[in-house]
Amino acid sequence: MAKEKLYRPRVNSAGVRNKIKFYYTEKFFNKWMSKYEFIGLNYQQKNYLMRKLWSDGSVACSNIKSASKELAGLMDNGAIDMGENELIFTPWAPARRFNIYDYPTHVRLINTRGVKFITNKELRLDDEVVIIYAQKNHKSVFSSIEAKINELIDIEMKKRVARKAQSQPWMFAFSPEDFEQAKILQEQMENDEPYMFVPFKDVDKAKSLVSGAPYIVDKLEQDRQKVENDILTMMGVNNVGVSEKKEHLVVDEVNANNQDIEEQSMSFESELQECFDRVGENLGRSVQVIDMNELYAPEEEQESQKEDNEDAQEN
């Protein structure tokens, strides 16, 4: 008895899901990384800070003076000017000492690179060290949008199946005796013959199979745009007009969406600025937080106003 062969697809669906997840994760990660500018930090500090807020939700900010009294003395005497490098950003862990509001009173810095200028001593919170949080709930940015990214992946997988169903070719089944006649039928179909005459020996065994699946890709795309806009709103990033034209939305919907974006953006910015205000008070370095989204907003409003004026002139 011949061994039965099972068809296995060359493309693994799990692999496709992972690639789609990588695509969307990187897309929103890059939007987050370009959302803020920090006046008073160098590009490496900014990059590390934003990456940690994305993945961990918090990072410790301390002064390099805490690691060495000799270095602190040289800096205080003006012999050495560390500039932006005076501030150190590191992972942190609570030192098992909390106040009645569940805030740690002392923390330890996690020295991931084993360098000498990061102290291993306990540091007093809001005195020798300040914790920078991304959100008021102290959660990471990615954890807040992860469920929505998984929803996007599900929609993309459904779109993939829907497109495959639309591209499924006609399938014909014949008896072995009609194999040569089937080749004639194939040639006639490829030549777009309006009439096809094929003398089958066993007509009852000749069958055609079609998908019959309805076209739903456009509806899935609308769902995808809605979920993506929800994620961008959660991140405080402008999204109306990115994947959905404003003329398709009524004025109230546009205003409500803009308000949600502004409120979420202000929530991020206010939390970051409050943390850096404590950095200035306790560590002596001033850092200003600038939301780049706010800088682009006037340009987008001018472009929108220009389009409205052009439409009014045409009418």
Side-chain angles (χ1 to χ4, degrees):
M1 182 176 178
K3 186 177 180 180
E4 183 179 359
K5 293 183 179 180
L6 297 178
Y7 170 74
R8 297 184 183 276
R10 282 179 282 181
V11 180
N12 190 310
S13 295
V16 174
R17 289 184 68 92
N18 290 334
K19 291 180 180 179
I20 295 174
K21 183 174 183 178
F22 175 81
Y23 168 79
Y24 278 111
T25 301
E26 292 302 300
K27 178 178 181 177
F28 297 122
F29 171 76
N30 289 333
K31 287 185 177 294
W32 167 255
M33 292 295 291
S34 60
K35 180 171 172 56
Y36 294 106
E37 183 62 46
F38 298 91
I39 307 300
L41 301 181
N42 60 41
Y43 74 97
Q44 293 183 355
Q45 291 171 323
K46 173 194 170 185
N47 182 275
Y48 183 83
L49 170 66
M50 293 294 283
R51 283 192 289 113
K52 284 300 179 182
L53 296 181
W54 168 268
S55 60
D56 299 336
S58 66
V59 65
C61 179
S62 61
N63 197 304
I64 197 171
K65 295 179 181 179
S66 62
S68 171
K69 292 183 179 180
E70 295 180 359
L71 180 60
L74 292 173
M75 293 174 62
D76 291 338
N77 294 332
I80 298 177
D81 183 11
M82 298 297 295
E84 301 95 340
N85 292 318
E86 184 177 340
L87 294 180
I88 302 175
F89 295 93
T90 61
W92 63 283
R96 299 183 180 180
R97 299 165 70 178
F98 296 83
N99 60 22
I100 61 173
Y101 304 111
D102 293 331
Y103 275 83
T105 59
H106 293 72
V107 303
R108 288 185 179 275
L109 306 182
I110 300 176
N111 191 351
T112 57
R113 297 297 181 184
V115 296
K116 295 181 179 180
F117 54 81
I118 295 179
T119 182
N120 58 1
K121 301 177 182 178
E122 290 186 6
L123 300 180
R124 294 185 301 275
L125 183 66
D126 293 337
D127 181 14
E128 299 173 300
V129 64
V130 174
I131 305 302
I132 309 296
Y133 293 104
Q135 304 185 77
K136 297 186 182 301
N137 61 6
H138 297 180
K139 303 295 183 182
S140 69
V141 176
F142 178 71
S143 66
S144 297
I145 64 175
E146 185 177 9
K148 283 293 183 179
I149 291 180
N150 290 332
E151 192 173 340
L152 279 176
I153 297 171
D154 290 338
I155 295 174
E156 289 287 3
M157 293 300 291
K158 289 182 175 64
K159 283 176 59 179
R160 178 172 176 264
V161 173
R163 284 194 292 261
K164 291 288 185 181
Q166 294 300 316
S167 62
Q168 182 176 348
W170 286 77
M171 293 184 293
F172 296 91
F174 303 96
S175 63
E177 294 80 8
D178 289 324
F179 179 73
E180 293 300 326
Q181 301 300 328
K183 292 170 62 176
I184 297 174
L185 176 62
Q186 178 184 358
E187 293 176 0
Q188 291 177 343
M189 293 180 64
E190 291 175 351
N191 293 330
D192 297 323
E193 295 289 345
Y195 305 102
M196 289 175 282
F197 301 94
V198 182
F200 290 123
K201 296 180 179 179
D202 196 345
V203 180
D204 294 335
K205 292 185 178 181
K207 299 177 182 179
S208 65
L209 304 174
V210 294
S211 170
Y215 185 79
I216 59 172
V217 176
D218 53 344
K219 297 179 180 179
L220 292 173
E221 176 60 19
Q222 292 177 3
D223 291 342
R224 189 200 65 80
Q225 291 179 0
K226 175 63 170 60
V227 175
E228 182 170 343
N229 284 346
D230 288 343
I231 295 176
L232 294 175
T233 299
M234 176 63 194
M235 296 174 61
V237 177
N238 288 338
N239 55 68
V240 174
V242 175
S243 57
E244 186 174 7
K245 294 185 178 180
K246 291 184 178 181
E247 56 264 25
H248 292 168
L249 300 175
V250 299
V251 176
D252 290 342
E253 291 176 328
V254 174
N255 292 337
N257 184 76
N258 289 340
Q259 183 177 356
D260 289 341
I261 296 172
E262 184 176 358
E263 290 176 352
Q264 190 63 29
S265 185
M266 288 177 60
S267 177
F268 279 117
E269 185 179 1
S270 63
E271 179 65 24
L272 288 171
Q273 191 60 64
E274 288 175 7
C275 293
F276 279 109
D277 287 344
R278 293 196 294 273
V279 170
E281 294 171 1
N282 297 283
L283 304 180
R285 296 291 301 185
S286 176
V287 178
Q288 181 183 358
V289 181
I290 297 178
D291 189 345
M292 303 302 291
N293 211 50
E294 295 178 356
L295 297 180
Y296 297 138
E299 298 180 3
E300 294 178 355
E301 291 177 359
Q302 292 177 5
E303 185 67 24
S304 177
Q305 185 64 36
K306 181 179 178 181
E307 293 177 357
D308 293 341
N309 294 336
E310 291 176 354
D311 293 340
Q313 291 177 0
E314 293 177 358
N315 296 331

